[in-house]
Amino acid sequence: QVQLVESGGGLVQAGGSLRLSCAASGRTFNNYAMGWFRQAPGKEREFVARDSQYGGTPNYADSVKGRFTISRDNAKNTVYLQMNSLKPEDTAVYYCAATGRHAIAVVPSLYIYWGQGTQVTVSS
């Protein structure tokens, strides 16, 4: 069992930055690939970024590539999402999630543990 708690959301002006954190409980954090998803009002939950439990190159949605960076600190059981050059269309509730899958997973249904979400609002 893994419990996830996100933090770091807030209100920021367009062009600004935020860093989201996701703290995981349990002793097997490094067995899971970690993902970030987001959901805007009236829209489906969408993939943002993923970091493998085995290292390697992270995966990003095209809409955030070059602006967002996912990273993890296994010693702290924490995954981060650094968000730069934020745009109003980045406004959403952001969720972190964990999956034991080895292959790249960008579909929410492939993740088994979820945090409660943190609101990010980007003003124009």
Side-chain angles (χ1 to χ4, degrees), residues 4 11 26-27 38 44 50-51 56-57 61 78 86 88 98 109 120:
L4 304 173
L11 174 63
R27 297 175 294 176
R38 66 187 182 187
E44 293 187 353
R50 168 201 172 266
D51 190 53
T57 303
T78 301
L86 283 161
S109 60
V120 172

Side-chain angles (χ1 to χ4, degrees), residues 74-92:
N74 286 336
K76 295 183 178 180
N77 281 9
T78 301
V79 62
Y80 304 97
L81 185 68
Q82 178 67 43
M83 306 185 295
N84 298 329
S85 302
L86 283 161
K87 305 175 181 179
E89 51 263 44
D90 294 319
T91 295

Side-chain angles (χ1 to χ4, degrees), residues 31 33 50 52-54 59 99-105:
N31 289 343
R50 168 201 172 266
S52 168
Q53 61 270 56
Y54 304 114
N59 309 103
T99 178
R101 289 178 62 88
H102 298 183
I104 296 173

Side-chain angles (χ1 to χ4, degrees), residues 13-30:
Q13 289 188 332
S17 299
L18 282 174
R19 188 177 81 154
L20 305 183
S21 299
C22 173
S25 66
R27 297 175 294 176
T28 58
F29 174 75
N30 58 353

Side-chain angles (χ1 to χ4, degrees), residues 3-7 20-24 29 33-38 45 49 70 79-81 93-99 111 113-118:
Q3 292 184 329
L4 304 173
V5 179
E6 302 97 333
S7 61
L20 305 183
S21 299
C22 173
F29 174 75
M34 299 300 296
W36 284 96
F37 291 79
R38 66 187 182 187
R45 193 168 296 188
I70 186 172
V79 62
Y80 304 97
L81 185 68
V93 177
Y94 283 71
Y95 299 89
C96 71
T99 178
Y111 287 75
Y113 300 113
W114 289 85
Q116 82 288 349
T118 186

